[in-house]
DNA sequence: TTCTAATTGCAACTGCCTTGCATTTGCACT
DNA sequence: AGTGCAAATGCAAGGCAGTTGCAATTAGAA
């Protein structure tokens, strides 16, 4: 029974953090872990309506806040409208490519910050503890449809 | 008269974009250009009250929207609360170091994206048009006071 | 100076998110 | 299994950043 295994996995996760196991919480963890891209609270709300009986938006927000403070979930803000985004914390270091054409989000492991870190340390005595890198552009499917390039400045 | 020179400079900027020259607009451009870090609409609103007679928040937002669409201003979102930030577009490529201790913002010209661009192009056929890189850590003044390092993960 | 479209102030409103409170529920301990 | 209590939830109201409709004002071209 895959479902049972899955749920006992989330149950352990919650127990480890010292918070109670509820159907809403496992449902939210499940949706987020299965999702390959960050979700807004409302997208989660809609998915949850299908999965569990019903849930209130305040519960969604409170649960996501709890998960974020426990580092089970990573919170960020969407670039265009500033809306909050939540994704399962896989504890791996990765960045996203955002396609400007179709808004697809592609995960990559490449990270060029390592070398920069040494340079900054030496040049201006700054100790890096974390960073955020977002890359915009056109994916393979969209690059052929983009308008005649204006000025590929700022790259 | 430095002030006159300054204002005629903004006047030209606005004329070039085909939008009218008003005291609010020059005031906003002036504040943003003189500021070394991005500002929220409300911070601007407060600065503006000192400078010009009075201004409405809706005017602030509308002006900033106009400037953003004309690329005179760059809009982003604050990391912690998602609030909108606006900064003068100096049309130079730079990134910021944000000190986690004192919240100082340090500008750097180092940018490690150039090399990454070739890699991504070759590996997954993705054309970069832009990117955003934020780096967090401790500046020289704060590094001595940071708490005994827990786990310098995610760097 | 005159005319017109752009800009502004005001007030009401939207949407995301939060909070207070009464009710329910998970779960540790018998 | 039953009990007790803190944690979690639903509901409704509220807070706050940002938006919008509209009438009054103003920049700037003719």
């Amino acid at each position: 029974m895959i479902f049972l295994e899955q749920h006992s996995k989330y149950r352990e996760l919650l127990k480890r953090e010292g918070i109670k196991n509820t159907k809403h919480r496992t449902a939210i963890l499940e949706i987020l872990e299965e999702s390959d891209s960050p979700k807004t609270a409302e997208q989660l709300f809609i998915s949850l309506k299908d999965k569990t009986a019903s849930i209130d938006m305040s519960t969604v927000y409170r649960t996501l806040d709890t998960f974020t403070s426990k580092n089970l979930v990573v919170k960020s803000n969407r670039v265009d409208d500033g809306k909050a985004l939540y994704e399962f914390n896989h504890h791996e270091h990765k960045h996203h490519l955002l396609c400007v054409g179709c808004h697809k989000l592609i995960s990559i492991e490449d990270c060029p910050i390592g070398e920069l870190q040494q340079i900054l340390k030496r040049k201006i005595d700054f100790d890096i503890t974390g960073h955020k890198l977002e890359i915009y552009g056109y994916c393979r499917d969209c690059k052929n449809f983009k308008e005649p390039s204006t000025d590929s400045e700022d790259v």
Side-chain angles (χ1 to χ4, degrees), chain A residues 17-151:
Chain A
E17 297 297 338
I19 56 179
K20 287 185 181 171
N21 168 44
T22 71
K23 63 177 182 203
H24 291 328
R25 288 184 169 169
T26 51
I28 288 177
L29 284 177
E30 194 169 1
I31 293 173
L32 285 181
E33 192 181 18
E34 284 171 3
S35 167
D36 52 347
S37 61
K39 290 206 163 337
T40 64
E42 202 189 351
Q43 289 173 319
L44 266 168
F45 179 71
I46 291 166
S47 305
L48 284 162
K49 289 249 229 181
D50 299 342
K51 222 175 239 288
T52 78
S54 77
I55 189 171
D56 192 82
M57 275 301 285
S58 65
T59 304
V60 176
Y61 280 112
R62 275 193 277 231
T63 305
L64 289 170
D65 275 357
T66 305
F67 287 172
T68 303
S69 72
K70 299 288 184 185
N71 272 312
L72 296 176
V73 158
V74 178
K75 180 181 180 180
S76 57
N77 291 100
R78 207 192 260 157
V79 192
D80 52 353
D81 61 1
K83 212 173 279 190
L85 293 174
Y86 304 87
E87 59 185 319
F88 193 88
N89 189 356
H90 289 95
H91 292 287
E92 49 185 39
H93 189 87
K94 73 173 181 202
H95 295 291
H96 293 287
L97 306 176
L98 174 65
C99 178
V100 182
C102 62
H103 292 94
K104 186 165 37 191
L105 213 60
I106 305 168
S107 293
I108 53 168
E109 316 90 44
D110 293 289
C111 176
I113 308 301
E115 312 130 46
L116 184 62
Q117 193 167 358
Q118 327 297 336
I119 300 174
L120 292 178
K121 172 86 183 136
R122 180 162 36 79
K123 272 172 58 176
I124 57 173
D125 204 10
F126 189 91
D127 282 0
I128 296 180
T129 61
H131 66 270
K132 191 170 142 189
L133 172 61
E134 290 163 353
I135 301 173
Y136 316 109
Y138 289 95
C139 69
R140 184 177 47 218
D141 301 330
C142 292
K143 59 197 297 186
N144 302 318
F145 302 114
K146 70 179 169 187
E147 52 244 306
S149 69
T150 53
D151 252 349

